[in-house]
Amino acid sequence: MINVGIFGLGRISHVADSLSVGYGYKLTHLSTIQSLRGFKTIYGVDINTKARSLFESRNKIPAYDLTETHSLRKRADLIVIATPTSSHLETLRFALELKPKLILLEKPVEFSLKKAREVQMIQQKSNIPIIVNYQRNYHPKFVQLRDRIHQDINVPGTRITTIFSGDWLNIGSHCVSLVQFLLGDGQVDYSYTKASDDLVVLASNRGKGYIVNMDFPSHNLFSMRINNRKFHIEYDSEQSYWKVFSLKKNTAYPNDPYWGSDERLEYIEQSDGLKHVYLNIARYFSKKKSSLTTLESAIRTMEIMKPWC
């Protein structure tokens, strides 16, 4: 059994589940943990008295103030940090004192690159691993796609085009982290266009990724196209679909095949995202192969986005 403690008892921890009644969604850390075997939430922590009371009354799980956490030392194997981003650094100081085996930190690491590097410094002193909740990096669809890109050494030149709308830190960081993941993470270099600050180019020996901020604040937008000589995939996060295309014979021009849809429209439910995070955590604890976004990778994401951090 993996015992879990949750720091921050707001929306993403458990409150958002009340917004999804009747839809069958597992939106929060708590509901996801409760839906999976092998996990048990044993406590919550929050500085707000009302938040603690609501958590205890709804879930029958004890909640503590930060000043009471000394009694929780070594009780949790996994600690989830779901406090506001601006408090991640200070919250982690408390969480690391409790000596868990692993910490799951909500993205982004912090609001500034300077503070993110402070997080890294205290993590290195503690020697307790920290992973970051960029959910798509844990999803089997993207894990399989990454493996396909990396194994197909005879087909270099994968191109990934990603467009999104919103601020770079909260929305764009998902895009940057995912393209890093697909192209080789630590092997990825980056550059910016001279024409606009809204385009970042990532590159590795596997290919290139182009990330464009469309800057439509009133529109939700996150879509990707992944293409090389062997496959073409379209992904739309807002519509939750994944569409695969294959090369079709061109009867008019036999030497000029085209990409045609196989009508294989598959859905990637956003509500499944956290489930795959925890399934990978379970594999990590079982010492099996897992897909985890390390703190080092997440800080590299912030370094790439340094004009906006």
Side-chain angles (χ1 to χ4, degrees), residues 66-306:
L66 275 177
T67 59
E68 304 171 310
T69 54
H70 59 277
S71 64
L72 305 175
R73 186 179 171 87
K74 292 188 176 181
R75 286 183 55 190
D77 304 297
L78 170 68
I79 287 181
V80 178
I81 305 294
T83 57
T85 302
S86 59
S87 68
H88 282 181
L89 177 59
E90 292 308 313
T91 304
L92 275 164
R93 295 186 193 278
F94 284 91
L96 289 167
E97 287 295 319
L98 303 187
K99 302 299 179 184
K101 297 173 183 175
L102 182 69
I103 289 178
L104 172 61
L105 177 65
E106 272 297 334
K107 62 82 194 171
V109 176
E110 254 286 357
F111 272 135
S112 72
L113 182 55
K114 180 182 177 181
K115 282 197 170 184
R117 286 175 173 152
E118 289 183 56
V119 168
Q120 190 173 34
M121 288 177 62
I122 64 170
Q123 183 273 328
Q124 289 170 343
K125 289 179 181 178
S126 73
N127 205 31
I128 295 170
I130 296 175
I131 60 173
V132 183
N133 186 24
Y134 285 109
Q135 295 182 14
R136 294 169 186 83
N137 301 13
Y138 298 77
H139 198 288
K141 282 285 185 189
F142 288 105
V143 174
Q144 291 163 13
L145 177 58
R146 177 202 60 188
D147 292 344
R148 189 174 179 184
I149 291 171
H150 287 217
Q151 290 169 3
D152 214 348
I153 58 175
N154 295 320
V155 187
T158 295
R159 293 293 183 266
I160 303 170
T161 304
T162 304
I163 59 174
F164 76 96
S165 183
D167 68 277
W168 276 97
L169 193 58
N170 288 299
I171 308 300
S173 65
H174 279 287
C175 306
V176 174
S177 179
L178 182 54
V179 175
Q180 279 177 255
F181 174 74
L182 294 173
L183 292 182
D185 209 356
Q187 303 169 359
V188 173
D189 294 320
Y190 59 92
S191 61
Y192 313 100
T193 61
K194 294 180 180 179
S196 170
D197 288 336
D198 292 327
L199 172 62
V200 175
V201 182
L202 279 68
S204 77
N205 60 357
R206 305 294 179 184
K208 287 187 177 181
Y210 305 88
I211 303 170
V212 185
N213 187 351
M214 300 301 290
D215 197 22
F216 299 148
S218 61
H219 297 71
N220 290 330
L221 179 66
F222 184 157
S223 65
M224 300 183 77
R225 289 192 174 193
I226 305 102
N227 180 253
N228 67 25
R229 284 181 290 172
K230 285 195 172 181
F231 60 83
H232 177 73
I233 293 168
E234 293 183 2
Y235 166 65
D236 188 313
S237 177
E238 300 307 320
Q239 298 298 319
S240 300
Y241 78 71
W242 173 282
K243 196 169 187 177
V244 179
F245 293 76
S246 62
L247 283 174
K248 303 292 184 181
K249 185 176 180 180
N250 191 331
T251 54
Y253 303 96
N255 296 323
D256 189 17
Y258 66 94
W259 290 108
S261 171
D262 291 342
E263 300 300 329
R264 287 191 288 149
L265 189 63
E266 303 174 38
Y267 287 90
I268 298 180
E269 293 293 343
Q270 293 187 53
S271 55
D272 283 344
L274 269 177
K275 178 184 75 173
H276 291 296
V277 174
Y278 282 97
L279 289 175
N280 275 281
I281 288 172
R283 287 194 282 271
Y284 169 84
F285 275 98
S286 299
K287 301 187 184 303
K288 297 178 182 178
K289 184 179 179 182
S290 56
S291 178
L292 304 173
T293 300
T294 64
L295 177 63
E296 181 182 16
S297 173
I299 291 176
R300 175 68 167 171
T301 297
M302 293 191 69
E303 288 174 351
I304 292 170
M305 300 187 306
K306 58 188 174 186

